[in-house]
Amino acid sequence: LSGEDAYRSMTHVRDDLQLMLEKPTIYLYDQDMGKISTTGLHLDDTIFGRHEELYSLKECYERSVSGDTEFALISGHAGIGKSFLAYEFGKHVKLSGGIFLSGKFDQLQQGKPFSALATAFNRYCDMLLRNSELQPVREAMASKLKSLGRDVYYLTKIMPCLSFILGSDQNDMFCDGDCVNAQRRLQYLLCQLVEILSSSSAAPVTLFLDDLQWADAASIAAVSKLLLNTGSSSQQKRFFFLGCHREGTIDSGHPLWKLVRDAELVGVSCASLKLGCMEEETLNTMVSESLCVLPRLTRTLSNVIYRKTIGNPLFVCRLLLSLSKERLLYPSLSRRRWEWDEEKVMSQKLPDDVALFLTQSIVDLPTDVKTSLFHFSCFGSSADVAFVNTLERAFDMRVLRENLDIAVDEGLLEKTGDQYRFSHDRIQEAAYNTVSADERCLVHILYGMALASLSARESDDSILFTAANQLN
């Protein structure tokens, strides 16, 4: 090591050796720079600077395991890492033998009751169906649900996968048009479903709902019933609720406000965690571990990034990927490590708001990729591969999936199993806003009419029917 990289203190030597001992795969072993030069920078799912908050969530959860009824709310500005912290906590729940259900409210589907709740429970039912080892759990669950009578089949209206678990004909199911009674019935049935799920688990059922600022009143009322009707009277009724919302979006007129107030009145505790931006030292640790370069060598780069992003995690990630794409941050085959042009990085002009930065990153994409992202955003934050294939077939969008894969490579979308989803709701917003409001309205109308028409002709194609409902 020479020049600016040279050691000037034995303290730095000691610190670097300690890091090599503790994290050899990051700081000691050679990186495959040939492969990295082809694939570019990849950011993993390591959590940085949130250990105290994660510990607080675990403590709250453990009290719930002990029999108390508690819930937790995470707040913070967009891109601050709320969802990331929640899913990291979800890993702890699963490792402890608990059930972790997750759903996300969508800005474009605020008028669709129970959307996030339905997604959370339906995904769990789908997992039970896919895992052959869980057949005894499925059968026990179906038996207990059927004992509730015919009303239980109302749940299949919002959880299609549950119908395969119940396995009974529902054609003769009675339907009434009373919206209030229908909501109360669903609230009651959800409470019964959680009780049945918790009886088969050694730990509470944990429900995580993201983006609560867009939650509908019916969903919050259902969560309130789950919180206040489970967990206190019986060891079989255990439920833990975790929610995320953007800071400054919940006022006295929002249904979540009433939930917190009602919970306090009956003695149900709420742990509120407010996330802030990363501190500069935490940001340097993130940059250092992402690049596998010792922290003392990345400090100057981190200082520049911190000044430009103020430590917003989403902004930091997008900026690092952008620098890599523009070759201002590049793998050096001769030095076998990442290098950067500090002056050019410093001269990069960035907008003050992460949303503007994301919008610009989408605007710079090829036209057909940008168009595909817009059309995908019209249907919400995520969609299955089967749905994307249906769009391609129904509307002759032959390169839709190919373009979405390009967006995955750019880090704008994530592809997990058979599902595409936006990496962040701000990215979905940016993609959706690339088209004017009038054009967006027209696209929704045309899609809705076409999909409704197609689903009427192809009655066996539930994907088309679901898509038409999503666009309403």
Side-chain angles (χ1 to χ4, degrees):
L1 298 174
S2 60
E4 294 183 359
D5 291 352
Y7 286 105
R8 292 175 174 78
S9 164
M10 284 305 296
T11 302
H12 293 161
V13 175
R14 179 202 62 196
D15 292 345
D16 285 359
L17 287 172
Q18 189 65 42
L19 283 171
M20 292 176 191
L21 284 169
E22 293 174 355
K23 301 178 179 180
T25 57
I26 295 176
Y27 295 118
L28 180 60
Y29 303 152
D30 280 345
Q31 306 300 309
D32 188 347
M33 302 311 291
K35 179 180 179 181
I36 291 174
S37 63
T38 303
T39 60
L41 179 63
H42 173 73
L43 301 177
D44 59 24
D45 294 333
T46 305
I47 190 169
F48 295 97
R50 303 296 188 204
H51 300 293
E52 288 185 11
E53 292 87 349
L54 183 59
Y55 180 74
S56 296
L57 281 178
K58 289 179 180 179
E59 279 194 321
C60 185
Y61 176 73
E62 292 304 324
R63 289 192 293 271
S64 180
V65 172
S66 301
D68 296 334
T69 302
E70 289 197 39
F71 69 106
L73 296 175
I74 305 173
S75 64
H77 294 296
I80 212 71
K82 303 182 293 294
S83 307
F84 194 72
L85 174 62
Y87 282 111
E88 192 69 21
F89 166 71
K91 295 177 184 177
H92 168 75
V93 172
K94 293 176 181 178
L95 286 173
S96 63
I99 297 173
F100 185 76
L101 312 176
S102 64
K104 179 183 176 71
F105 289 100
D106 196 310
Q107 188 177 13
L108 303 182
Q109 297 182 36
Q110 294 181 62
K112 187 178 179 182
F114 301 108
S115 60
L117 275 167
T119 299
F121 285 97
N122 193 56
R123 283 176 180 167
Y124 179 73
C125 292
D126 183 56
M127 184 273 294
L128 289 179
L129 289 167
R130 291 174 182 270
N131 193 332
S132 58
E133 296 180 0
L134 295 177
Q135 183 177 348
V137 177
R138 288 199 307 270
E139 293 175 349
M141 176 179 168
S143 176
K144 291 178 180 179
L145 284 172
K146 287 178 181 178
S147 68
L148 299 176
R150 294 292 300 171
D151 273 0
V152 75
Y153 289 102
Y154 280 96
L155 286 175
T156 63
K157 284 185 168 293
I158 63 170
M159 306 172 201
C161 290
L162 182 60
S163 62
F164 296 102
I165 292 177
L166 294 174
S168 297
D169 184 21
Q170 304 157 48
N171 292 331
D172 59 341
M173 186 176 66
F174 171 76
C175 296
D176 63 53
D178 190 331
C179 183
V180 174
N181 284 338
Q183 288 187 11
R184 289 175 179 170
R185 182 189 296 112
L186 279 173
Q187 291 171 6
Y188 166 76
L189 291 171
L190 283 172
C191 288
Q192 296 301 308
L193 176 58
V194 167
E195 181 177 350
I196 289 170
L197 292 180
S198 65
S199 67
S200 64
S201 173
V205 172
T206 298
L207 174 65
F208 164 55
L209 296 180
D210 203 357
D211 286 327
L212 286 170
Q213 69 272 10
W214 295 321
D216 58 282
S219 293
I220 297 299
V223 170
S224 179
K225 287 289 184 183
L226 288 168
L227 272 173
L228 306 184
N229 290 356
T230 61
S232 55
S233 62
S234 168
Q235 288 299 313
Q236 297 302 314
K237 294 183 177 182
R238 292 166 295 143
F239 177 73
F240 183 74
F241 174 62
L242 173 62
C244 288
H245 64 86
R246 287 188 193 172
E247 187 177 340
T249 58
I250 306 299
D251 56 23
S252 58
H254 196 282
L256 185 62
W257 185 284
K258 184 178 184 300
L259 167 63
V260 175
R261 186 190 62 190
D262 291 347
E264 290 174 347
L265 291 175
V266 296
V268 175
S269 303
C270 175
S272 297
L273 284 74
K274 183 178 178 181
L275 302 188
C277 291
M278 290 190 293
E279 296 180 354
E280 189 170 349
E281 192 61 35
T282 302
L283 192 153
N284 186 47
T285 301
M286 174 185 173
V287 172
S288 169
E289 293 195 10
S290 298
L291 302 182
C292 298
V293 177
L294 291 162
R296 68 182 185 88
L297 302 179
T298 59
R299 200 169 302 280
T300 54
L301 173 63
S302 299
N303 179 261
V304 175
I305 293 175
Y306 181 78
R307 278 182 284 162
K308 289 183 175 295
T309 64
I310 318 299
N312 181 292
L314 177 61
F315 210 163
V316 171
C317 291
R318 297 308 309 169
L319 178 56
L320 283 171
L321 293 171
S322 176
L323 293 174
S324 173
K325 182 181 177 182
E326 296 175 20
R327 302 291 294 175
L328 299 181
L329 177 63
Y330 54 91
S332 170
L333 295 177
S334 59
R335 300 191 65 188
R336 303 192 64 76
R337 51 164 270 197
W338 284 92
E339 292 193 332
W340 50 88
D341 191 322
E342 191 173 319
E343 290 186 4
K344 288 185 177 179
V345 172
M346 193 176 297
S347 65
Q348 284 280 96
K349 293 184 178 181
L350 300 175
D352 295 330
D353 183 69
V354 65
L356 295 175
F357 182 72
L358 294 172
T359 300
Q360 188 58 50
S361 67
I362 292 175
V363 169
D364 292 339
L365 291 171
T367 302
D368 56 341
V369 177
K370 183 169 55 180
T371 301
S372 294
L373 269 180
F374 162 70
H375 285 286
F376 183 73
S377 72
C378 290
F379 293 89
S381 59
S382 63
D384 294 338
V385 170
F387 168 67
V388 175
N389 291 338
T390 299
L391 278 185
E392 283 190 326
R393 172 174 59 83
F395 299 102
D396 198 25
M397 302 170 70
R398 298 177 184 175
V399 294
L400 176 61
R401 188 169 173 182
E402 180 181 328
N403 288 335
L404 294 184
D405 286 333
I406 292 174
V408 171
D409 293 337
E410 293 289 333
L412 299 170
L413 292 180
E414 296 174 354
K415 189 177 181 182
T416 307
D418 60 352
Q419 186 181 70
Y420 289 99
R421 72 174 182 181
F422 281 97
S423 301
H424 194 272
D425 55 13
R426 273 298 178 96
I427 297 176
Q428 180 196 356
E429 289 177 37
Y432 190 65
N433 290 328
T434 54
V435 173
S436 70
D438 289 342
E439 290 181 273
R440 293 198 300 265
C441 183
L442 181 60
V443 168
H444 277 277
I445 292 171
L446 293 176
Y447 262 142
M449 292 173 62
L451 288 170
S453 175
L454 282 169
S455 61
R457 295 201 304 270
E458 302 180 37
S459 58
D460 61 330
D461 200 331
S462 60
I463 296 174
L464 290 169
F465 181 74
T466 302
N469 283 338
Q470 279 184 284
L471 278 163
N472 284 343

